[in-house]
Amino acid sequence: MGKLERFLERKQGELGVGLNEVQKQAVGQAEGPLLLLASPGSGKTTTLIMRIGYLIEELGAEPARIKAVTFSRASARDMKERFSRFFPLLEPVDFSTIHSLAFEIVRTHFYKSRTAYDIIEGALEIEEEDGAQGTEKPLPLHKRIILRNLFKEVVGENATDDAMEELTTYISYVKNKMLPLEQWASVKVDVPKAEQILREYELFKRNGTPKLLIDFDDMLTIANDVLEKDGAMLRKLQSRYDYVMTDESQDTSMVQHAIIEKLVKSHRNLCVVADDDQSIYSWRGAEPTYLLNFKNIYPDAVTLYMVQNYRSSPEIVSTANTFIKRNKNRYVKEMFTHNASHQPITFKTLRDYREQAKHAVREIAKIEKLSETAVLYRNNSSSIALMNEFDRAGIPFYMKDADNRFFSHWVIEDVLNFMRMSYTDKRADILENIHLKFNGYISKHQMSVLKSIDNGESVFDNLLTIAQLHDYQIKPLQEAKETFREMNGMPPLHAIRVIRTRLGYEKALEKLCERLGFRKEYLIGILNTLEDIAEGLETMTDFAARLKYLEKVLKGAKSRKGQNAVTFSTFHSAKGLEFDHVYMVDLIEGIIPASDDGKKGGDGNSPAMEEAVRLFYVGMTRARKTLEMITYGQRDGEQATESSFMSAIQDIMDPGRISTRATAGSERQSSLSAAGESRRNTVRLKSTSFTSSREPAKAEANPNAVKDPAELEAGANVRHRVFGVGCIERADNESIVIRFGENNVKTLAVAMCVERELLELV
């Protein structure tokens, strides 16, 4: 019996851990470069820990001379704990994050060169993790504060939280890709003048204070630079380790790869554990093509495929395995499982997006072990509506990556200010916050004049009587005054709809998006979520209190990890997790895949679409037993289309759907062609119908049409079959007045609208 067999037999007896053939090969492949491609649920961490143990116990490697690099502190902690559990008598191995390794290099370099520096991002966390002396208090300078100030100087506006998030992502992308200065402008980013802000940021870090300022990304780029130029330090670091292993390497950026390559150059004992099918972070600089080119860098590398899934049911594994094959730029793999069969993936199509949170509540309320249940979504904004419904239902939940920015977002503050104006229109300070965001066309100069008036009168009366107005302002301001008066005492749901439509807030948001590059879908989504929160509440005071309460709930939800609570998580943050029951929500075109995902590059490829496929695959493979995919027919008052990914999953499970759709499409085309021919042969003035052997076509029944006149009340948003979306301004038993636009107001008969199914609520 050889060393490997003896080791594996011993550990199986001690731990009860048995490995499959590929895992055994990975453990025994000790020397030279190794690429270990590990599919979801294939036991990669166990294999990696066993490999480390084999190196020490059987091959005599010193624990301190083994470097295991992870890319998050959580992963490093998990591996340390797993190793100590498997091998309690062994000395600890050097587990660390890539940033921790880089910081060690940077700190040594600056000590040698006598360079004074300050860390301006998460300084205490990094220093304490590395065992260095932490400072007593946070540094006065911080990356986000510096960037906010530079944004204001360069753009002339205050940066929103969304703009800050995108700006910091852009900077990380540039650094991690190691892009030279002349290529910074080529990176797509929605933040105005992002390249100029980045240039100013780099100058400020070097010259703005007596000390050099560095952030997390600088740690990586400086460390790589030091190893490139300081041969003595590189040799010292290389001589410290005999074996290097990297986990989750599909998420590694170019600069991180460069550091690892230098570290192993002398001995080349590198084990890379990764799954190219789970690479989902290219937007922050991850470089999945590195894995595909691994053999170019290490021609003698051994590549092993760990494709046995120990996590999921055969129904989930086989479907996910087929789905990921849509991608072309990947290693060819066949994931399989010997797990017991469970049940097919299920699909749910709802009428409106608002129904999905209620549906999730109904389904999950039946589950006893909530900790084995997760609701996954692409965008963090989806979590708020879920949180609102689950809280109302009394179902506890844990937020994997709670986004506190929602409750401090300026859109919410705007809506609250509109509501405050309905209680009192005498406060110029409230009006100042929203005067550019509704149909009053109030200039900054007029606002300045208004603020100087202190007579206790209505701000609108003061504008109309004292401020010098243009003729086009008078009517809108009179109407605004009346609208705010009518809003007083209005239920918050109706008030929000009036703010969006009659007061013109939604149009103002659209203009802001055009001018400043905000994402319209995200801002409109906030308004929709506010409507969800307002549903069922009687007063605007109740609404404001509900927002404060939910903000506290959100903070509390972060601390429920490990409790019997449902997990809410984005697809991205769910990677590495697993649950018995998974619900994937918001599965519509425009969200996953996103609108931009289909764009192709100059080579005809669509890397964004391939990454979206991988993201969906990651979501699917979190499930052990049951997986439900949820879509809906309407969102934001417009028709929504089922995600093409969800459709593809249904086609995989039922191949007959494809031929059925193809046949139906062919029949429709034939019918249209025949009808077109008939129309060409028959002239009918003032008619849009065409002649055929059948009866003239009637308008299709609308299952969503309003059938109860009581639903047509002031403040409700409706869609008319001809006129589009509008807001009901007045309603009685006989007629309703609907504003479809600034200059398009219609008075319609209630009976006719109901009888002919002309209206539906949106």
Side-chain angles (χ1 to χ4, degrees):
M1 184 183 292
K3 287 184 177 181
L4 178 61
E5 291 76 15
R6 193 166 56 245
F7 170 78
L8 293 173
E9 186 177 291
R10 185 172 72 250
K11 298 319 289 185
Q12 185 161 12
E14 293 173 2
L15 303 170
V17 175
L19 304 183
N20 63 37
E21 287 306 312
V22 178
Q23 291 172 329
K24 290 175 182 177
Q25 289 180 56
V27 170
Q29 186 64 44
E31 304 297 321
L34 168 65
L35 176 59
L36 186 56
L37 295 168
S39 292
S42 60
K44 69 177 179 64
T45 304
T46 296
T47 304
L48 194 56
I49 295 298
M50 291 287 281
R51 185 175 188 270
I52 295 171
Y54 175 67
L55 289 172
I56 299 169
E57 289 193 347
E58 296 298 328
L59 301 187
E62 294 181 31
R65 296 186 65 78
I66 298 174
K67 181 70 170 175
V69 179
T70 67
F71 298 95
S72 74
R73 287 192 296 274
S75 296
R77 283 193 297 267
D78 179 53
M79 291 183 71
K80 284 177 186 176
E81 188 218 57
R82 189 90 63 100
F83 180 78
S84 64
R85 201 165 67 241
F86 278 28
F87 303 97
L89 301 179
L90 295 183
E91 292 293 319
V93 170
D94 191 353
F95 294 99
S96 75
T97 62
I98 186 68
H99 281 87
S100 179
L101 171 63
F103 181 57
E104 181 185 351
I105 297 167
V106 168
R107 186 171 55 198
T108 304
H109 168 70
F110 284 154
Y111 177 79
K112 285 172 58 178
S113 62
R114 299 180 181 276
T115 302
Y117 69 96
D118 273 335
I119 302 173
I120 57 172
E121 183 180 17
L124 292 178
E125 290 181 358
I126 282 290
E127 291 194 2
E128 287 168 2
E129 181 188 2
D130 282 74
Q133 287 288 91
T135 54
E136 290 296 319
K137 57 184 179 180
L139 296 167
L141 288 166
H142 193 277
K143 178 180 181 178
R144 292 184 72 86
I145 296 172
I146 295 168
L147 287 173
R148 279 190 186 279
N149 292 338
L150 290 173
F151 186 100
K152 181 70 182 288
E153 288 177 18
V154 174
V155 180
E157 303 264 354
N158 288 320
T160 64
D161 288 343
D162 299 331
M164 285 298 301
E165 193 70 25
E166 183 151 2
L167 181 60
T168 52
T169 299
Y170 162 74
I171 292 171
S172 288
Y173 181 89
V174 166
K175 297 289 186 69
N176 278 273
K177 284 282 191 180
M178 298 194 294
L179 296 180
L181 188 146
E182 60 270 16
Q183 291 183 26
W184 291 359
S186 66
V187 178
K188 182 183 179 301
V189 59
D190 290 333
V191 177
K193 302 183 179 179
E195 182 205 0
Q196 185 180 343
I197 295 170
L198 175 52
R199 289 172 184 261
E200 296 294 333
Y201 176 58
E202 291 302 302
L203 282 172
F204 181 82
K205 284 190 298 178
R206 288 173 175 81
N207 306 313
T209 66
K211 295 182 181 180
L212 175 68
L213 305 179
I214 61 172
D215 59 27
F216 279 179
D217 300 312
D218 295 326
M219 288 180 193
L220 298 172
T221 56
I222 294 171
N224 184 55
D225 233 19
V226 169
L227 296 182
E228 189 81 45
K229 297 171 182 175
D230 189 337
M233 185 181 292
L234 175 60
R235 287 189 294 274
K236 184 177 180 181
L237 195 63
Q238 288 172 336
S239 66
R240 187 191 301 177
Y241 302 112
D242 297 323
Y243 300 93
V244 175
M245 302 171 204
T246 65
D247 191 22
E248 299 286 359
S249 296
Q250 73 276 356
D251 299 330
T252 310
S253 67
M254 286 298 293
V255 68
Q256 291 168 347
H257 285 305
I259 292 171
I260 297 298
E261 276 185 26
K262 293 178 178 65
L263 188 61
V264 303
K265 194 169 185 180
S266 58
H267 55 70
R268 303 174 78 254
N269 290 331
L270 171 66
C271 173
V272 169
V273 184
D275 182 9
D276 54 309
D277 288 333
Q278 295 187 75
S279 180
I280 55 175
Y281 290 107
S282 66
W283 48 274
R284 68 182 190 195
E287 194 62 53
T289 55
Y290 177 88
L291 298 176
L292 300 175
N293 298 327
F294 195 77
K295 278 277 192 179
N296 297 338
I297 303 164
Y298 303 102
D300 57 335
V302 173
T303 302
L304 295 176
Y305 296 81
M306 282 175 48
V307 291
Q308 182 173 354
N309 182 297
Y310 293 93
R311 174 187 300 160
S312 305
S313 69
E315 292 83 358
I316 294 169
V317 169
S318 62
T319 307
N321 183 64
T322 303
F323 175 73
I324 196 62
K325 291 179 181 178
R326 293 164 61 100
N327 283 354
K328 305 304 178 189
N329 298 312
R330 61 184 291 268
Y331 284 98
V332 178
K333 299 185 285 293
E334 290 293 336
M335 183 171 60
F336 70 94
T337 187
H338 294 319
N339 290 346
S341 181
H342 198 74
Q343 71 176 56
I345 298 169
T346 58
F347 308 91
K348 187 71 177 178
T349 301
L350 303 168
R351 174 181 175 272
D352 185 86
Y353 85 98
R354 286 191 169 95
E355 294 178 20
Q356 73 175 355
K358 294 178 172 64
H359 170 76
V361 163
R362 287 193 298 269
E363 294 301 307
I364 292 173
K366 305 170 189 174
I367 298 173
E368 185 175 342
K369 199 168 184 183
L370 298 176
S371 58
E372 290 298 345
T373 307
V375 183
L376 307 182
Y377 35 82
R378 182 166 195 174
N379 300 324
N380 240 321
S381 54
S382 301
S383 65
I384 305 301
L386 288 165
M387 181 181 73
N388 184 50
E389 286 298 328
F390 275 72
D391 176 76
R392 282 176 169 168
I395 300 175
F397 51 88
Y398 160 61
M399 289 284 232
K400 177 68 171 62
D401 43 5
D403 185 3
N404 289 323
R405 292 177 302 157
F406 179 85
F407 292 101
S408 60
H409 201 282
W410 53 270
V411 167
I412 293 180
E413 190 58 30
D414 283 349
V415 169
L416 291 174
N417 278 324
F418 276 107
M419 290 181 173
R420 291 176 185 121
M421 283 296 296
S422 73
Y423 282 95
T424 173
D425 66 357
K426 297 178 181 180
R427 289 183 55 183
D429 59 323
I430 297 176
L431 183 66
E432 184 178 23
N433 292 321
I434 57 172
H435 76 282
L436 297 175
K437 298 175 182 177
F438 73 99
N439 299 331
Y441 311 107
I442 304 169
S443 69
K444 290 184 178 180
H445 174 71
Q446 290 167 340
M447 193 65 235
S448 177
V449 171
L450 182 64
K451 285 171 64 181
S452 68
I453 302 169
D454 184 17
N455 59 7
E457 298 296 324
S458 161
V459 291
F460 295 105
D461 288 342
N462 283 335
L463 283 168
L464 291 164
T465 57
I466 299 174
Q468 294 182 347
L469 299 178
H470 299 285
D471 291 343
Y472 64 81
Q473 291 180 277
I474 296 173
K475 185 178 178 183
L477 284 172
Q478 290 172 336
E479 290 177 347
K481 179 186 176 183
E482 178 62 19
T483 300
F484 278 114
R485 187 191 65 77
E486 290 176 13
M487 279 173 57
N488 189 289
M490 188 180 285
L493 178 58
H494 292 166
I496 293 170
R497 289 173 178 172
V498 168
I499 291 166
R500 294 176 71 162
T501 54
R502 283 173 61 185
L503 287 172
Y505 183 61
E506 199 158 318
K507 283 187 177 179
L509 288 185
E510 290 176 7
K511 291 177 181 176
L512 276 175
C513 291
E514 291 172 7
R515 187 163 62 89
L516 297 177
F518 300 150
R519 284 189 298 117
K520 176 187 169 185
E521 296 81 5
Y522 178 61
L523 300 184
I524 298 303
I526 293 175
L527 291 175
N528 292 334
T529 302
L530 291 180
E531 289 193 8
D532 293 340
I533 293 170
E535 186 178 359
L537 300 178
E538 294 183 1
T539 69
M540 297 181 206
T541 303
D542 293 339
F543 173 71
R546 179 71 180 165
L547 287 176
K548 285 191 175 297
Y549 167 75
L550 288 176
E551 186 173 11
K552 290 181 181 177
V553 169
L554 179 63
K555 292 175 181 175
K558 293 179 181 179
S559 62
R560 291 203 187 101
K561 186 176 183 180
Q563 298 179 17
N564 189 33
V566 182
T567 295
F568 294 163
S569 174
T570 60
F571 293 144
H572 282 96
S573 291
K575 191 155 72 68
L577 304 180
E578 54 186 83
F579 307 90
D580 283 347
H581 314 287
V582 169
Y583 296 82
M584 296 169 65
V585 301
D586 278 331
L587 302 187
I588 63 169
E589 291 291 293
I591 291 184
I592 185 159
S595 305
D596 292 340
D597 285 341
K599 291 182 179 178
K600 294 185 178 181
D603 56 1
N605 292 324
S606 180
M609 182 59 77
E610 292 218 344
E611 180 149 329
V613 169
R614 295 193 293 267
L615 187 61
F616 200 82
Y617 172 80
V618 165
M620 291 181 66
T621 53
R622 300 311 94 199
R624 297 191 195 105
K625 297 178 181 178
T626 68
L627 173 61
E628 179 167 291
M629 299 185 176
I630 303 172
T631 188
Y632 39 80
Q634 287 191 0
R635 184 181 178 91
D636 305 342
E638 298 178 359
Q639 206 70 21
T641 304
E642 176 182 290
S643 166
S644 56
F645 293 171
M646 178 168 154
S647 300
I649 298 299
Q650 294 176 79
D651 290 342
I652 291 167
M653 295 176 62
D654 180 13
R657 273 172 41 100
I658 303 174
S659 57
T660 300
R661 287 206 309 274
T663 302
S666 176
E667 288 175 352
R668 281 197 303 273
Q669 187 61 43
S670 298
S671 174
L672 288 171
S673 299
E677 184 65 28
S678 176
R679 180 164 53 184
R680 284 191 290 273
N681 294 331
T682 306
V683 178
R684 286 193 176 187
L685 297 176
K686 298 183 181 179
S687 174
T688 57
S689 63
F690 47 77
T691 305
S692 71
S693 59
R694 295 172 294 181
E695 289 292 320
K698 295 180 180 179
E700 292 182 5
N702 181 359
N704 302 324
V706 173
K707 297 179 176 59
D708 182 0
E711 293 181 72
L712 301 174
E713 54 187 0
N717 284 342
V718 293
R719 182 193 299 280
H720 189 280
R721 182 175 288 169
V722 176
F723 303 125
V725 176
C727 180
I728 299 176
E729 294 193 336
R730 290 190 295 279
D732 55 37
N733 295 333
E734 302 293 330
S735 63
I736 50 174
V737 177
I738 308 177
R739 181 179 291 276
F740 293 99
E742 191 172 341
N743 300 310
N744 187 11
V745 179
K746 303 288 184 184
T747 301
L748 306 175
V750 172
M752 181 181 292
C753 289
V754 172
E755 180 185 344
R756 298 190 180 181
E757 299 184 343
L758 297 177
L759 297 174
E760 62 183 82
L761 295 175
V762 296

